[in-house]
Amino acid sequence: MKKEHRLPTKMGQLLSFSSKILVNRFLTDEEDEVLARIQQEELKQRLQLAATQSVLVVLHIETKKATQFETISGFIANKTVDGSHIIVKSATAKKQLRMIEIASIVKMSQLPLTPPNKPAHEA
């Protein structure tokens, strides 16, 4: 009889504990902030790799003035990505430079990077 009594008590404690954790996570945005920081670091690493390899990148950025997103394509001008901004040289207008805040980048795509040992036509 004690085993039957313990099971509902343990189930109740488990449900109570999990609902407390759920409410705590809902009210605190710590996990969201940590996830955003991790994504920013991954984006910086991808930007750094694209900058050192001189790869064409397409950036989907969020602008403060417009409600829509803006798409920019070009090459990253600075070879080290360590600040909060990058400079992009336009792929179409060769003399056009644009400074972009890394936090405003929503999505990034790039040409496939080839390993340094293989020529581009074999990759």
Side-chain angles (χ1 to χ4, degrees), residues 86-100:
I86 59 169
I87 299 173
V88 177
K89 278 192 278 186
S90 177
T92 55
K94 295 295 180 190
K95 294 186 178 181
Q96 183 181 11
L97 294 174
R98 180 115 185 242
M99 184 178 278
I100 300 171

Side-chain angles (χ1 to χ4, degrees), residues 4 7 10 12 26 60 72 81 85-86 105 116:
E4 293 175 8
L7 185 62
K10 286 189 178 189
F26 181 73
H60 196 67
I72 298 172
V81 178
H85 290 78
I86 59 169
I105 298 173

Side-chain angles (χ1 to χ4, degrees), residues 12-28:
Q13 290 173 348
L14 180 65
L15 287 174
S16 173
F17 181 69
S18 62
S19 62
K20 286 178 187 177
I21 290 175
L22 182 65
V23 169
N24 188 20
R25 287 183 182 168
F26 181 73
L27 294 177
T28 60

Side-chain angles (χ1 to χ4, degrees), residues 16-110:
S16 173
F17 181 69
S18 62
S19 62
K20 286 178 187 177
I21 290 175
L22 182 65
V23 169
N24 188 20
R25 287 183 182 168
F26 181 73
L27 294 177
T28 60
D29 294 331
E30 290 178 15
E31 290 184 15
D32 294 336
E33 292 172 3
V34 169
L35 183 62
R37 274 188 253 130
I38 290 171
Q39 289 174 342
Q40 283 293 322
E41 288 301 317
E42 289 175 355
L43 180 65
K44 279 186 178 183
Q45 289 174 356
R46 289 181 61 202
L47 286 168
Q48 179 64 51
L49 186 61
T52 55
Q53 300 264 336
S54 297
V55 176
L56 179 73
V57 295
V58 178
L59 303 173
H60 196 67
I61 62 170
E62 182 178 17
T63 57
K64 294 178 182 176
K65 295 178 183 177
T67 57
Q68 298 177 345
F69 296 104
E70 185 177 357
T71 305
I72 298 172
S73 63
F75 299 93
I76 300 173
N78 42 343
K79 295 299 178 190
T80 57
V81 178
D82 55 356
S84 61
H85 290 78
I86 59 169
I87 299 173
V88 177
K89 278 192 278 186
S90 177
T92 55
K94 295 295 180 190
K95 294 186 178 181
Q96 183 181 11
L97 294 174
R98 180 115 185 242
M99 184 178 278
I100 300 171
E101 186 179 7
I102 294 176
S104 68
I105 298 173
V106 177
K107 192 187 300 184
M108 175 189 162
S109 59
Q110 62 200 29

